[in-house]
Amino acid sequence: MIGQGQVPVIILKEGTERTKGRDASKNNIMAATIVSETIKSTLGPKGMDKMLVDSLGDILISNDGATILDEIDVQHPAAKMIVQVAKAQDDETGDGTTSSVILAGEFLKHGLELLEKKIHASLIVEGYKAASSKAQKYLDEFSKTLEPFAEENTLLHQIATTALNSKAVHGAKDKIASIAVKSVEKVADKENGEYTVDLDNIKILQKSGKSLAQSELIEGVIVDKEVVHPAMPKSVEGGKILLLNQNVEVQKGEWDREIRISDPLEMKSFLDNEEQILREMVDQIIALGVNVVVAQKGIDDMAQYFMAKENILAIRRVKKSDMEKLARATGAKIVTNLKDAKVDDLGEAGLVEEVKLGDDDHVFVRECKNPKAVSIILYGATKYVTDEAERGIHDALCVVRNVVEDKTYLPGGGAIYTELSLRIDEFADEFKDKRQLAVKAFAESLLAIPSTLAENAGIDPLDIMNELRAAHAEGKVSIGIDLLQNGKITDMYKAEILEPHRVVSQAIKSASESAIMIMRIDDVIVAKSGAPAMPPGGMPGGMPGGMPGGMPPGMM
């Protein structure tokens, strides 16, 4: 209130909106929860897809949480924070985006119920932090270990298949899972017994026209270029490959020059000299025993002719990323100066050939001995199919990478979330104040994952959750919901439904952190861009009164 004789102090622009206290918290939590509810129906193998149509009429059909949220133009600031949860989950683990967003929504929904009971946000935050930290310790306790790429080990295939169960690749999930495992095995680097996997070394191409089951793994690299000269061979066996980051051309000056020729013989001499330079460059290539040249820069027409005469296959203007993949796949070194090139710099491939995929020509470098870069061709009836298949195989590659690097995995089907809920509910009894209610709310929120899995499959969540809780109360940690067979509870290890430790850990971590951040907000100030400040005594611009926009009375 402003007392008599006091002048009002203007701090914020006119039009600025301010929401305080419980109204601000409620507004933020409701906005975030709506985002969570939007993608809830996509969770699990029986989840539904979303169709998104943009302003240009382009269609996206997907059930991938990160993809859906990335395409939706969310405006509310709290809702944007939930979108960031999905993005962080996708960047860190490549899977579990829907689970993380659902958990964040549940943490906030239960947090709002506690706020309505007059429990202070600080106490809720403390309870959530304690519960989240405890959950991470339980996850370490429950996780199992494996040795990647052991011959008898099929666990990686099972983990990849579990990730693909919820994707639109049902008919070919075994084939896609096998490709994902084999791809990661090929590109994985091992040092001191530990693996590192860079998925950038796996190139994925989409092609329409065949079925998804005809997708294939190429143990080498596919370059979306064609052979530069029609007289060159289209196929070379036993490829000796030179990767060249240099122009096979006569160097032009940096400045424009004028050459005046008065005699035709001088012109011929000039052209002969240029031809001789190119001839020498090609002779250097021939001397190395090269039969395949991959150039990052240009190849002169005359040089192409000389190479064609020697049955050398050449491609030019290849992307830097493809050059690096070729180096890893063939064992070649990228040469930047032809004069310094040695035989040891060459790479090897069993077969290099030009292949037509759809309407485009590509050069396949295949049958490499120990390729540390590979390519995957995804086929499908339409672009929508191959787009979703690529999102699916990306998730499969990510979960296999996670397990290969961490060597730890957990039971799927909601089993681990049910067990965590039970343990954290018991952990809540250690608190003797209102934080206990927050920890119990955290535990209850975790049950949203198995409950949503059942609901999306058309199973009564109340009945199945009672069975699930009863099984875990008896100490059966790995009991979850088998939605692919009979919709009953069963041992997830026997049902071969597994997920990486990293995915579950990150989902709980990112969801709880974002929920905590949103619940700590008690004041929201939204500025209107360009709104002028209200001067004392009147409308903007010094007007003493009148219509909005500064119009004086009587003006319309």
Side-chain angles (χ1 to χ4, degrees), residues 13 19 22 54 72 76 151 167 195 249 253 300 340 344 379 403 421 456 469 496:
K13 284 184 178 181
T19 314
R22 189 160 293 142
D54 66 14
I72 295 175
H76 196 284
E151 285 185 14
K167 306 300 177 186
Y195 288 95
E249 298 172 339
D300 188 272
D340 298 332
D344 292 343
Y379 293 109
V403 176
S421 176
N456 289 347
R469 279 171 157 169
E496 301 179 354

Side-chain angles (χ1 to χ4, degrees), residues 284-496:
Q284 289 173 336
I285 292 171
I286 295 167
L288 293 169
V290 173
N291 53 17
V292 177
V293 174
V294 181
Q296 189 172 336
K297 296 179 180 177
I299 301 177
D300 188 272
D301 291 349
M302 185 64 70
Q304 293 176 28
Y305 169 72
F306 291 142
M307 288 182 191
K309 284 182 69 176
E310 299 294 333
N311 285 323
I312 294 174
L313 184 155
I315 53 177
R316 62 179 173 177
R317 310 211 183 281
V318 176
K319 291 185 294 188
K320 182 182 177 183
S321 59
D322 283 343
M323 294 288 285
E324 291 169 351
K325 289 185 180 71
L326 283 165
R328 282 182 61 88
T330 63
K333 296 175 184 174
I334 298 174
V335 175
T336 55
N337 190 335
L338 198 51
K339 292 179 181 177
D340 298 332
K342 304 185 295 293
V343 174
D344 292 343
D345 296 332
L346 303 184
E348 295 182 354
L351 179 64
V352 181
E353 60 178 343
E354 185 181 85
V355 177
K356 199 171 192 67
L357 289 177
D359 296 330
D360 304 314
D361 290 321
H362 295 72
V363 172
F364 283 53
V365 180
R366 55 168 104 222
E367 298 176 16
C368 302
K369 286 182 181 177
N370 184 27
K372 287 298 179 181
V374 297
S375 302
I376 299 170
I377 308 176
L378 288 176
Y379 293 109
T382 67
K383 186 73 165 60
Y384 302 128
V385 173
T386 54
D387 279 345
E388 188 66 355
E390 182 168 350
R391 286 188 283 270
I393 199 167
H394 170 263
D395 285 5
L397 290 168
C398 287
V399 296
V400 174
R401 174 204 61 191
N402 296 342
V403 176
V404 167
E405 290 184 344
D406 300 342
K407 300 182 181 180
T408 52
Y409 64 98
L410 293 160
I416 195 64
Y417 292 101
T418 309
E419 183 66 22
L420 284 176
S421 176
L422 183 70
R423 296 296 185 97
I424 291 172
D425 191 65
E426 293 171 355
F427 169 65
D429 295 335
E430 296 182 15
F431 296 89
K432 304 304 179 186
D433 54 13
K434 290 178 180 177
R435 287 179 298 172
Q436 182 186 96
L437 296 174
V439 177
K440 285 186 175 291
F442 189 99
E444 185 67 25
S445 300
L446 293 173
L447 293 175
I449 300 299
S451 177
T452 304
L453 286 171
E455 191 175 342
N456 289 347
I459 302 168
D460 187 333
L462 289 176
D463 291 343
I464 201 82
M465 290 308 297
N466 285 336
E467 292 179 34
L468 205 53
R469 279 171 157 169
H472 281 264
E474 295 172 5
K476 299 175 181 176
V477 176
S478 59
I479 296 295
I481 310 170
D482 187 356
L483 299 173
L484 297 174
Q485 297 298 324
N486 49 21
K488 304 292 184 183
I489 64 169
T490 187
D491 189 319
M492 293 291 98
Y493 292 128
K494 291 180 181 177
E496 301 179 354

Side-chain angles (χ1 to χ4, degrees), residues 255-260:
W255 297 278
D256 290 337
R257 290 182 174 90
E258 183 179 307
I259 300 174
R260 295 184 180 180

Side-chain angles (χ1 to χ4, degrees), residues 44-45 63-65 95 163-170 388 391-393 395:
N63 68 353
D64 182 73
D95 194 25
L164 292 168
N165 281 336
S166 60
K167 306 300 177 186
V169 295
H170 303 298
E388 188 66 355
R391 286 188 283 270
I393 199 167
D395 285 5

Side-chain angles (χ1 to χ4, degrees), residues 12 26 29 62 146 175 310 329 331 333 347 409 422:
L12 303 174
K26 190 173 182 179
I29 290 171
S62 180
L146 60 78
K175 177 74 177 284
E310 299 294 333
K333 296 175 184 174
Y409 64 98
L422 183 70

